[in-house]
Amino acid sequence: MKLIDILNEILLKEKYGEITPFYHLADKYNLDSLLKGIQVDVSTDRGQGKGFYVSNDLKIIERFKIKYETGEVKPGGLIIEIQAIFNEENFDIDLELTKNLPDIIKKIKPQLESKFKHFTIEHPTNSTYKFEVFVDGEGDKEDFEIGIMDDEMGGTFFSPKPKSGKNIKYGFIPITYIQDAGTVGSIKLSIDSLDTIGVKNTIENQIYNTILDNPLYLRYVGPPIKPTRYKLQDDSGKWGEWVNV
């Protein structure tokens, strides 16, 4: 592991590898079930696999509403708190929320540019698809093209790739192509590509820093967990006091 990755890993564990409270908005009629424990393997949300969404910002959760299968949107009436160690084993980075990935990477981009050969490549007819490519070893801009890549979830996305017959070790980041929740796989392809040149941990640590500095949703995907406390909302919309479990 390169020195910068070791330092980042140490800082991540020192600052974030500790028990942290997270909050989840739910339907109050599910309280009894939730108190028995949440099985992430059977808890799914937005079709993105196991886990459930939480935030480390209580005020964000208090303002949110639930969209039910009927299409009705209304307050859930229940907030549960879980306490878990904030690390990559317990939480998904929730990559659709890193659609500002180019801004995140700006903070470490000088390090990448000092270590790797780099250049910009874009789709020949659609400049929306624009990427910066980092090459570790042999390979130049003329050796690349924009092609269709498949992700592990079955999605297909435009991204840089070596031309036929070229074996090049590279990673890439989006510059102008802003992803949303419907194109999670494209962001994942980008971050995974950086693992090829040994900087994936650096990028992920920066994302973790950004998430906790600017509270967002994360998806808890760790072992079964029970709430530590909860509070209910009355018919007027006012939240009651916490009840310890």
Side-chain angles (χ1 to χ4, degrees):
M1 181 181 292
K2 296 180 181 179
L3 179 59
I4 188 171
D5 293 330
I6 295 174
L7 291 175
N8 273 324
E9 184 175 343
I10 292 173
L11 291 173
L12 181 68
K13 289 182 178 178
E14 183 177 288
K15 190 173 182 180
Y16 301 128
E18 57 189 35
I19 294 178
T20 305
F22 293 91
Y23 308 97
H24 174 72
L25 179 68
D27 189 328
K28 61 183 178 182
Y29 296 108
N30 292 328
L31 176 59
D32 289 342
S33 174
L34 292 170
L35 292 180
K36 294 176 182 177
I38 306 170
Q39 301 284 339
V40 297
D41 288 336
V42 297
S43 176
T44 60
D45 200 343
R46 298 167 70 180
Q48 294 182 33
K50 70 176 185 178
F52 60 97
Y53 280 91
V54 297
S55 176
N56 62 324
D57 191 323
L58 179 59
K59 292 181 179 179
I60 289 179
I61 297 297
E62 288 179 335
R63 294 195 302 266
F64 266 69
K65 297 180 180 181
I66 294 177
K67 184 176 182 179
Y68 292 84
E69 293 181 359
T70 60
E72 183 180 14
V73 179
K74 62 180 182 180
L78 169 67
I79 292 176
I80 62 170
E81 176 192 85
I82 64 169
Q83 292 194 7
I85 295 177
F86 180 61
N87 59 24
E88 62 274 15
E89 284 80 23
N90 285 338
F91 291 91
D92 182 78
I93 295 177
D94 216 6
L95 297 172
E96 73 269 33
L97 294 176
T98 64
K99 57 187 178 182
N100 58 339
L101 184 61
D103 294 330
I104 291 173
I105 291 180
K106 281 180 182 178
K107 296 180 179 180
I108 65 167
K109 193 173 178 181
Q111 300 172 21
L112 299 180
E113 292 179 340
S114 68
K115 293 166 62 177
F116 303 103
K117 183 186 304 182
H118 59 95
F119 46 82
T120 299
I121 183 172
E122 63 181 81
H123 193 282
T125 60
N126 188 344
S127 60
T128 300
Y129 299 96
K130 190 174 182 179
F131 306 86
E132 184 160 7
V133 178
F134 299 91
V135 175
D136 186 6
E138 298 298 322
D140 294 296
K141 183 174 182 178
E142 58 268 22
D143 296 318
F144 283 82
E145 61 186 355
I146 297 293
I148 295 178
M149 301 281 282
D150 297 325
D151 76 347
E152 61 187 25
M153 298 176 65
T156 57
F157 307 95
F158 285 112
S159 63
K161 69 175 186 179
K163 292 179 180 178
S164 178
K166 301 287 184 178
N167 184 15
I168 303 173
K169 191 176 180 181
Y170 73 103
F172 64 89
I173 59 173
I175 296 177
T176 58
Y177 180 34
I178 304 303
Q179 289 84 351
D180 58 24
T183 56
V184 181
S186 184
I187 284 284
K188 189 175 188 307
L189 280 175
S190 176
I191 292 180
D192 285 348
S193 77
L194 295 168
D195 194 27
T196 304
I197 57 175
V199 296
K200 180 180 177 180
N201 287 344
T202 303
I203 303 298
E204 289 187 340
N205 291 350
Q206 184 61 54
I207 292 172
Y208 275 119
N209 290 333
T210 301
I211 286 174
L212 284 196
D213 289 340
N214 302 279
L216 294 171
Y217 266 131
L218 294 169
R219 196 163 72 250
Y220 178 81
V221 294
I225 192 168
K226 290 185 177 182
T228 52
R229 58 180 183 164
Y230 68 89
K231 63 179 178 178
L232 297 167
Q233 188 178 39
D234 63 25
D235 293 337
S236 69
K238 182 179 179 179
W239 288 103
E241 298 296 322
W242 284 108
V243 177
N244 293 320
V245 177

